[in-house]
Amino acid sequence: MKKVVKFGGSSLSGPKQFEKVKHIISLDKDRRYVVPSAPGKRDDRDNKVTDLLYKAYSLASGDQDFSKVFSEIEGRFNEIIAGLGLKVSLKEEFNTIKKNFSRKIGEDYAASRGEYLNGILLADYLGYRFVDAAEVIFFREDGSFDSARTYDAVYERLKDIERAVIPGFYGSYPDGSIKTFSRGGSDITGSIVARSVKADVYENWTDVSGFFVADPRIITDPENIEMITYTELRELAYMGASVLHEDAIFPVRREGIPINIKNTNKPEDKGSWIVQSTGQKSRFIITGIAGKKGFCSVNIEKDKMNSEVGFGRKVLQAFEDNDISFEHMPSGIDTMTIIVHQDEFIEKEQSVVSEINRMTHPDSIDIESDLALIAVVGRGMKAAKGTSGRIFSALAHANVNVKMIDQGSSELNIIIGVKNEDFENAIRAIYNIFVIAQL
Ligand code: ASP
């Protein structure tokens, strides 16, 4: 068996956390390839090293003194070295990085140094080989990820190395300069390494015991999701559930490598499994609920809209011409509604409306803002009768006015639009009916 294990920033924020990580790795000899993040926050008031690096580099690129922020960064790594009694010194590395900052080498390089340095320390502490991600993770000149070249390179490099640490978050352009993924991107690196070495499992260690059925900021002590499919997770992540980087499922998904989200601070918890498909029924009919505020609906009415060929295309053209993507598009016989992100739409509102008017001559266009969308997701919904009925009766009892309903053709999700101010209440009502009532 081969496992790739990724540890997030809070799992490697200081010497105590490093000790937990080493212990976890030592419990399972299959944990052969380790992908670390940069040191994260040690407590709520602390800084992430990545944020400090961005800060220092922004000073450097404005020709300002960055030495104070940089010493703070050095202090974070030196604390780990001292706390673990490591022999390794990062002095030379710090000097090189400072020089590169002064010659304004690039923001991505700067941000990536947290993972790079943490990788050196972790490799030393574990007695694993250090493999610089810049040598095996590749981007094309246009900034897109070069998957084929990367999977080959990682495979070739690791095939004769029994145990290695590969820092997360970055890779390189064809000219060798550094490029990072978006924030939280070490999750993607872990997934790439898992795919390249054909791992049996990709373990992603963080500071929560996996996914919750609903956001703990809204539901106190929500139930844990034990097993979720990649597709269900896509729906929930898109709607705001964030434990894992949204793009981290793609590399492993094609190979069917399961991801296990685990808690470094509570390793005995089962965590959540993300799998391709499962015959295992979820504990509840629904797998999860997630949502976001800040949407607008553009409601268009025209008599006999249904018989006018090309009406929908013309409406969507108005959005496309203004470079606005739409989220949902429920329609009736003489009505059509387009749901968009409020902040993207608001500044182009008048231009979109006038184009719709010009192209389609509707009877009316009415815009409603401050809407929230809630996704109720679950592979179990397909087989269960009356799911939507239960959702709507729960919402009616909670006095929530439902503005929109959209059931995906996969029957995997139901999207509900409510006013922003009803958002939390609606989620509580849905959680209560499907989870609390079933316990
Ligand atoms: N350290 C980077 C960040 O803070 C990447 C990561 O942690 O995955 O975004």
Side-chain angles (χ1 to χ4, degrees), residues 6-10 36-40 48-51 54 111-112 114-115 168-170 180-189 245:
K6 181 258 169 180
F7 288 90
S10 55
S37 282
K48 285 180 160 195
V49 163
T50 310
D51 291 327
Y54 278 119
S112 73
E115 273 69 14
F169 191 36
Y170 69 93
T180 60
F181 292 106
S182 57
R183 295 298 304 265
S186 301
D187 286 339
I188 307 174
T189 311
H245 191 294

Side-chain angles (χ1 to χ4, degrees), residues 271-339:
S272 297
W273 282 92
I274 310 165
V275 298
Q276 194 166 41
S277 67
T278 170
Q280 202 171 311
K281 290 224 175 67
S282 49
R283 273 164 77 208
F284 312 105
I285 291 171
I286 60 162
T287 304
I289 314 163
K292 276 194 216 164
K293 291 183 181 176
F295 292 92
C296 255
S297 69
V298 182
N299 310 303
I300 303 151
E301 275 193 44
K302 186 175 186 184
D303 272 346
K304 306 215 180 91
M305 179 191 286
N306 66 324
S307 54
E308 192 176 321
V309 175
F311 189 92
R313 180 185 53 74
K314 288 178 198 156
V315 169
L316 293 182
Q317 186 75 46
F319 287 88
E320 184 176 341
D321 290 347
N322 286 280
D323 203 22
I324 293 172
S325 66
F326 71 93
E327 297 296 306
H328 295 280
M329 191 181 57
S331 63
I333 305 175
D334 293 332
T335 62
M336 184 169 166
T337 299
I338 313 285
I339 310 265

Side-chain angles (χ1 to χ4, degrees), residues 345-392:
F345 178 67
I346 223 77
E347 58 194 50
K348 296 175 177 162
E349 176 191 81
Q350 292 313 315
S351 142
V352 175
V353 169
S354 64
E355 190 169 336
I356 298 176
N357 270 320
R358 212 173 47 238
M359 308 253 293
T360 66
H361 310 289
D363 296 334
S364 71
I365 301 182
D366 161 58
I367 297 173
E368 182 163 6
S369 50
D370 300 324
L371 295 178
L373 294 181
I374 297 170
V376 183
V377 176
R379 58 186 184 278
M381 296 195 316
K382 206 171 185 163
K385 289 195 189 89
T387 309
S388 39
R390 289 172 71 191
I391 295 176
F392 298 116

Side-chain angles (χ1 to χ4, degrees), residues 32-51:
R32 288 173 42 191
Y33 300 113
V34 185
V35 175
S37 282
K41 296 181 179 190
R42 288 160 297 185
D43 56 54
D44 285 351
R45 278 166 307 168
D46 202 13
N47 289 308
K48 285 180 160 195
V49 163
T50 310
D51 291 327

